[in-house]
Amino acid sequence: TTLPFNSWPNATPENLVAMFRDRARRQAMRLEERFQASQKRGLSFTDATNETAIHGYKAASCHSAYITISRNLDALNEFVKPKDTNIYNALLNLFQLTALRQIKDDLADWFECLTPHLVDSLTDGIHVLLDNIRPDAVGLVDALGFEDEQLDSTLGRYDGRVYEAIYEQAKLSPLNQSPKMVGWESISKVLDLDFIKAGVGQRACVDSKL
């Protein structure tokens, strides 16, 4: 299959959906070929199904990916784009990122249609999308409507004071409420304490041969 674009920035959302549709079609045809070959060797329907189970799983996975990504684009075009183009563009970046990530993860599935340039530039295309998404990241997360109390996460704070929050949360941990390590009485019995004490403050210096 020849792709109608020669670089990822020129790939339309419809082009990406078509890539997933073509992959699902190819995998389904390969499954059918292998299933028919198994039955021609005299295997029953059940035995042929078992013998081609791995191919069946692959075909089902590709079909599910195609349905997911195509319905995603349909929803964006039908429900989001007519109401707010800014939100549409932000979500479209996520759509494209999802598609390119899946293509990268299953790159071998598209080797017969991807040019060497498209393969080499795929990671660059992902990085461009990440740069486009980054300014909208907070807004996209906040749009889900979760309160800080619900998330209960030091990483998802609205004020961005992540490291201070991690430190304060660590101080509240039961493991940090005592100057002595929890379980030390049991662990100390099996440790070579003299060896540990002798090594405190020492660092092994090895000359680098690089």
Side-chain angles (χ1 to χ4, degrees):
T1 303
T2 302
L3 297 176
F5 59 90
N6 55 16
S7 66
W8 294 113
N10 293 332
T12 66
E14 291 74 18
N15 292 153
L16 297 176
V17 170
M19 289 181 65
F20 280 79
R21 179 174 62 247
D22 181 66
R23 180 182 67 157
R25 176 189 60 82
R26 288 186 282 105
Q27 291 297 335
M29 292 177 62
R30 289 171 184 170
L31 171 61
E32 172 65 13
E33 291 173 359
R34 288 167 173 79
F35 184 82
Q36 292 296 337
S38 297
Q39 285 200 311
K40 286 180 179 179
R41 297 199 332 265
L43 295 182
S44 66
F45 179 90
T46 300
D47 290 339
T49 300
N50 289 335
E51 187 173 76
T52 58
I54 294 178
H55 300 293
Y57 174 83
K58 179 66 175 180
S61 176
C62 292
H63 179 74
S64 298
Y66 162 61
I67 293 299
T68 300
I69 199 167
S70 63
R71 294 295 83 84
N72 187 346
L73 184 60
D74 288 344
L76 290 177
N77 288 332
E78 183 175 354
F79 300 109
V80 181
K81 189 175 183 179
K83 296 181 179 180
D84 193 311
T85 55
N86 289 327
I87 295 177
Y88 172 79
N89 290 330
L91 293 177
L92 192 63
N93 282 330
L94 287 179
F95 164 86
Q96 293 172 315
L97 176 64
T98 300
L100 263 61
R101 277 297 314 178
Q102 290 190 50
I103 293 172
K104 185 177 186 298
D105 290 343
D106 298 316
L107 198 56
D109 292 345
W110 283 282
F111 265 180
E112 61 186 63
C113 62
L114 290 178
T115 64
H117 171 71
L118 287 173
V119 173
D120 292 340
S121 61
L122 183 53
T123 300
D124 293 333
I126 291 174
H127 287 168
V128 169
L129 287 170
L130 289 173
D131 287 339
N132 293 339
I133 292 169
R134 191 168 289 111
D136 297 321
V138 174
L140 289 169
V141 174
D142 287 348
L144 298 175
F146 292 112
E147 300 290 340
D148 282 353
E149 291 77 9
Q150 291 175 293
L151 294 174
D152 192 24
S153 170
T154 55
L155 297 178
R157 291 173 57 89
Y158 73 94
D159 58 8
R161 297 175 62 84
V162 175
Y163 298 106
E164 295 89 340
I166 291 175
Y167 177 68
E168 293 299 325
Q169 193 68 26
K171 291 196 297 183
L172 298 176
S173 171
L175 296 176
N176 294 323
Q177 300 305 308
S178 171
K180 184 178 292 187
M181 174 181 149
V182 174
W184 175 253
E185 291 77 8
S186 300
I187 297 176
S188 62
K189 297 177 182 178
V190 297
L191 295 177
D192 188 339
L193 299 181
D194 292 334
F195 177 79
I196 294 175
K197 291 177 180 178
V200 172
Q202 296 183 9
R203 294 183 60 186
C205 297
V206 180
D207 292 335
S208 174
K209 297 182 180 179
L210 296 179

